[in-house]
Amino acid sequence: IAGITQAPTSQILAAGRRMTLRCTQDMRHNAMYWYRQDLGLGLRLIHYSNTAGTTGKGEVPDGYSVSRANTDDFPLTLASAVPSQTSVYFCASGSITGELFFGEGSRLTVL
Amino acid sequence: QKEVEQNSGPLSVPEGAIASLNCTYSDRGSQSFFWYRQYSGKSPELIMSIYSNGDKEDGRFTAQLNKASQYVSLLIRDSQPSDSATYLCAVRDRTGGSNYKLTFGKGTLLTVNP
């Protein structure tokens, strides 16, 4: 059982390019999340989805968009990447008791 | 702005000692609390969840919750070098229901010295 699968694991991207980080879960959780983690700032919520077909903004949503067409997939798109979006991105799914389970992360560098 | 505060550390303890990690939170209505362990370069891993006042034990780990003081802690008994990691405290948003957003503290770096 894979749990949460993220792709790519690492990417170097030129500023201004569009990038989609993929996230797939096989845990059948309704809720899914995207966090970014930066040194000294901790984990910050970008966007979330409580169930397929719905999404919401987190603490730092600007420059990012998400979609939730089905239960399993929750892609995160950077429409026009900027250097400040250099970070480690974690996708997570949430159980009904509120516990979150994380993917292995995607390390993104924007030059 | 909901806040979760942790001492950033580093906290250094000798092997075999008890490590005590602390966390305070600002939202008095919070109901669910979690501890995650994150090794360097890895993703956060859930190690404990606690929902009621008091202690919850799981192996060498004990989570303690005091809602009146808005305080949650994690004790690690018989600390091992493999426990060396950053420990993240997380608090579930008050709204509950289908909204499971968690707010994370910035983490405490624990080093267990052999």
Side-chain angles (χ1 to χ4, degrees), chain B residues 77-105:
Chain B
R77 292 182 300 281
D78 188 24
S79 295
Q80 301 297 310
S82 59
D83 294 326
S84 297
T86 296
Y87 288 81
L88 305 173
C89 173
V91 177
R92 178 174 167 175
D93 188 281
R94 173 204 295 240
T95 55
S98 62
N99 184 342
Y100 304 142
K101 287 186 289 181
L102 296 188
T103 299
F104 284 82

Side-chain angles (χ1 to χ4, degrees), chain B residues 12-20 60 75-84 110-114:
Chain B
S12 183
V13 301
E15 184 174 356
I18 296 175
S20 178
R60 295 187 296 111
L75 300 179
I76 306 175
R77 292 182 300 281
D78 188 24
S79 295
Q80 301 297 310
S82 59
D83 294 326
S84 297
L110 172 67
T111 300
V112 180
N113 301 305

Side-chain angles (χ1 to χ4, degrees), chain A:
Chain A
I1 295 177
I4 312 293
T5 302
Q6 292 186 234
T9 55
S10 181
Q11 182 76 44
I12 298 174
L13 186 66
R17 298 297 297 269
R18 180 184 179 90
M19 178 72 193
T20 295
L21 304 180
R22 301 183 298 278
C23 176
T24 299
Q25 59 136 340
D26 61 6
M27 304 174 80
R28 308 305 297 171
H29 288 156
N30 283 327
M32 296 188 74
Y33 309 83
W34 276 104
Y35 286 86
R36 61 177 289 175
Q37 188 174 40
D38 303 286
L39 192 64
L41 297 177
L43 282 163
R44 293 181 292 167
L45 182 64
I46 304 171
H47 284 287
Y48 66 94
S49 170
N50 288 332
T51 189
T54 68
T55 62
K57 294 181 180 180
E59 181 184 355
V60 288
D62 294 343
Y64 306 96
S65 63
V66 292
S67 61
R68 188 85 185 278
N70 56 62
T71 297
D72 296 344
D73 300 302
F74 190 44
L76 176 74
T77 297
L78 290 68
S80 179
V82 295
S84 62
Q85 292 178 311
T86 294
S87 187
V88 180
Y89 291 86
F90 289 104
C91 178
S93 69
S95 74
I96 196 167
T97 53
E99 299 165 335
L100 263 59
F101 300 90
F102 287 85
E104 292 301 307
S106 295
R107 183 175 297 275
L108 182 66
T109 301
V110 182
L111 301 177

Side-chain angles (χ1 to χ4, degrees), chain B residues 14-62:
Chain B
E15 184 174 356
I18 296 175
S20 178
L21 304 160
N22 304 316
C23 173
T24 60
Y25 58 95
S26 62
D27 186 353
R28 183 170 291 277
S30 297
Q31 296 295 319
S32 306
F33 308 87
F34 308 91
W35 283 99
Y36 286 80
R37 177 177 62 200
Q38 187 174 23
Y39 293 114
S40 180
K42 301 296 185 181
S43 60
E45 172 192 11
L46 179 68
I47 54 172
M48 289 288 285
S49 56
I50 187 166
Y51 305 98
S52 304
N53 277 330
D55 295 0
K56 179 182 178 182
E57 185 175 320
D58 183 0
R60 295 187 296 111
F61 298 98
T62 299

